[in-house]
């Protein structure tokens, strides 16, 4: 059991040091969140890091809200979620978007598309503000991702639009997509926001009340929970926050500002006899995810799937 496996460092092309990334891979991290490279650069990076990993296969993540242009500089842009929700054939459009996202990601070496956003009517990533309509559209996008061989993630629990709502109001609205889509998604990502009507002392991703009390107990979610990417979270003390969120029920720490320090902190906690069962569960999830990817369709050539994406919505 290697505690480093629950950490997924970020890699920013043009900023991050490839040698440092290789050292982290050798140390045994579970994967990386990649940002800012071309598809070809990203594919080559994933090849190099897989070669030096003790596992032989890492999980590479795309932290997106709308499409891959947010993390791959030459990716083909796809319609915004709000545009998809307004299409005449909305279910077909949502499926095609998810399928193309997954196929482009896999062609670039990315296995895990951290999408869709299922917040209700919150800014541009939203599919809409009606819970059941949003659930149907997000479900079709999940089907497209899955059939492309990519992993998925629902976010941002418990729903950014519900920050000031009572628990019964959340039950009737923000929780609806999660309750209906849990079994179809590979993970859930909590918000980095404060939900004062539920827990006025901790952000959602640090909150026992929200993760253990609501997500896992009240909604009976049994799957994987990944952190909000730490590099853009509003955290004062990254190491202590990482440990707190692990105790609250998060299984994987994404894109910390200081991955080595976070790994050190997790290893210290394990030496105390803490978090062992949770880390074993996280590693079991990784193995299951790798098996799912391996049994899915083979990645396409970058140029072929990009051409398909260019034609898909014209």
């Amino acid at each position: 059991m290697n505690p480093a496996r629950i950490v997924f460092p970020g890699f920013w092309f043009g900023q991050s040091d490839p040698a440092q990334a290789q050292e982290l891979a050798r140390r045994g991290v579970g994967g990386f969140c990649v940002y800012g490279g071309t598809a070809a650069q990203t594919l080559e990076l994933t090849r190099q890091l897989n070669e030096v990993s003790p596992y032989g296969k890492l999980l590479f993540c795309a932290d997106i809200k709308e499409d891959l242009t947010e993390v791959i500089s030459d990716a083909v842009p796809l319609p915004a979620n709000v545009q998809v929700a307004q299409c005449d054939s909305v279910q077909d459009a949502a499926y095609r978007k998810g399928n193309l996202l997954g196929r482009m990601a896999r062609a670039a070496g990315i296995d895990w598309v951290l999408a869709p956003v299922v917040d209700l009517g919150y800014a541009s990533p939203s599919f809409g503000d009606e819970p059941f309509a949003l659930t149907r559209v997000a479900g079709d996008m999940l089907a497209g991702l899955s059939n492309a061989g990519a992993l998925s993630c629902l976010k941002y629990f418990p729903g950014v639009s519900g920050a000031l709502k009572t628990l019964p109001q959340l039950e009737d609205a923000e929780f609806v997509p999660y309750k209906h889509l849990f079994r179809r998604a590979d993970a859930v990502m909590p918000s980095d926001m404060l939900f004062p009507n539920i827990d006025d002392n901790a952000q959602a991703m640090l909150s026992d009340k929200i993760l253990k009390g609501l997500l896992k107990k009240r909604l009976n979610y049994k799957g994987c929970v990944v952190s909000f990417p730490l590099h853009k979270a509003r955290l004062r003390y990254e190491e202590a926050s990482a440990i707190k969120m692990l105790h609250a029920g998060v299984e994987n720490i994404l894109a910390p500002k200081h991955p080595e320090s976070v790994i050190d902190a997790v290893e210290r906690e394990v030496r105390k006899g803490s978090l062992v069962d949770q880390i074993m569960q996280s590693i079991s999830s990784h193995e299951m995810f790798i098996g799912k990817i391996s049994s899915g369709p083979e990645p396409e050539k970058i140029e072929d799937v990009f051409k398909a994406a260019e034609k898909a919505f014209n």
Side-chain angles (χ1 to χ4, degrees):
M1 182 193 75
N2 186 346
R5 196 166 182 180
I6 68 171
V7 179
F8 285 61
F11 185 92
W12 288 264
F13 285 89
Q15 300 178 42
S16 300
D17 181 358
Q20 182 187 31
Q22 290 193 12
E23 189 56 39
L24 287 166
R26 291 189 186 96
R27 188 170 178 180
V29 298
F32 288 82
C33 298
V34 294
Y35 299 89
T38 66
Q41 287 173 326
T42 303
L43 182 60
E44 177 59 16
L45 176 74
T46 65
R47 183 193 66 77
Q48 292 175 2
L49 296 179
N50 275 325
E51 279 188 352
V52 300
S53 168
Y55 318 122
K57 172 60 181 169
L58 296 166
L59 295 170
F60 293 92
C61 305
D63 169 29
I64 67 169
K65 292 182 179 179
E66 293 282 7
D67 66 23
L68 282 179
T69 60
E70 297 163 49
V71 296
I72 294 180
S73 60
D74 61 344
V76 177
L78 298 173
N81 292 342
V82 67
Q83 293 175 305
V84 167
Q86 294 169 354
C87 288
D88 292 336
S89 301
V90 60
Q91 291 176 296
D92 175 64
Y95 176 88
R96 278 188 292 144
K97 178 171 182 176
N99 190 251
L100 288 165
L101 275 174
R103 288 163 62 193
M104 284 194 286
R106 297 287 321 283
I110 295 172
D111 314 291
W112 204 343
V113 179
L114 301 175
V117 176
V118 291
D119 290 331
L120 296 177
Y122 180 73
S124 59
S126 177
F127 286 107
D129 56 11
E130 200 289 311
F132 289 98
L134 181 149
T135 299
R136 287 190 293 272
V137 179
D140 291 318
M141 184 172 169
L142 284 173
L145 283 166
S146 179
N147 287 344
L151 303 174
S152 59
C153 179
L154 302 175
K155 59 189 189 183
Y156 302 93
F157 186 82
V160 173
S161 54
L164 299 178
K165 291 183 179 179
T166 63
L167 187 54
Q169 289 172 326
L170 286 166
E171 287 272 14
D172 291 340
E174 278 74 15
F175 288 177
V176 170
Y178 293 97
K179 289 188 286 188
H180 286 80
L181 299 175
F182 274 157
R183 291 175 178 81
R184 299 175 62 183
D186 297 293
V188 167
M189 179 187 294
S191 170
D192 72 328
M193 290 180 60
L194 191 69
F195 290 75
N197 286 344
I198 305 170
D199 186 345
D200 60 1
N201 291 315
Q203 296 154 269
M205 65 180 183
L206 301 169
S207 171
D208 278 358
K209 292 179 181 179
I210 290 175
L211 297 185
K212 287 182 179 178
L214 290 183
L215 181 62
K216 296 192 173 186
K217 186 174 181 179
R218 191 180 185 103
L219 299 185
N220 198 32
Y221 178 62
K222 304 296 185 184
C224 179
V225 181
V226 301
S227 79
F228 188 90
L230 267 59
H231 75 96
K232 60 182 181 181
R234 290 160 285 191
L235 299 175
R236 191 170 180 183
Y237 303 108
E238 186 175 67
E239 294 174 30
S241 295
I243 299 303
K244 184 174 181 179
M245 69 181 68
L246 289 171
H247 280 290
V250 169
E251 290 182 20
N252 295 294
I253 304 296
L254 304 186
K257 294 178 181 177
H258 305 289
E260 297 93 342
S261 298
V262 169
I263 294 169
D264 291 342
V266 175
E267 290 177 344
R268 287 194 298 271
E269 199 74 5
V270 170
R271 285 195 293 270
K272 296 176 186 176
S274 183
L275 297 175
V276 174
D277 290 344
Q278 188 164 330
I279 290 172
M280 292 298 293
Q281 176 60 44
S282 179
I283 291 172
S284 176
S285 295
H286 289 196
E287 296 297 335
M288 180 186 69
F289 291 157
I290 290 169
K292 182 176 179 179
I293 293 163
S294 299
S295 64
E298 287 292 318
E300 300 168 70
K301 292 182 179 179
I302 293 170
E303 57 270 22
D304 291 342
V305 70
F306 278 27
K307 285 180 182 177
E310 287 169 352
K311 297 176 181 178
F313 287 93
N314 292 334

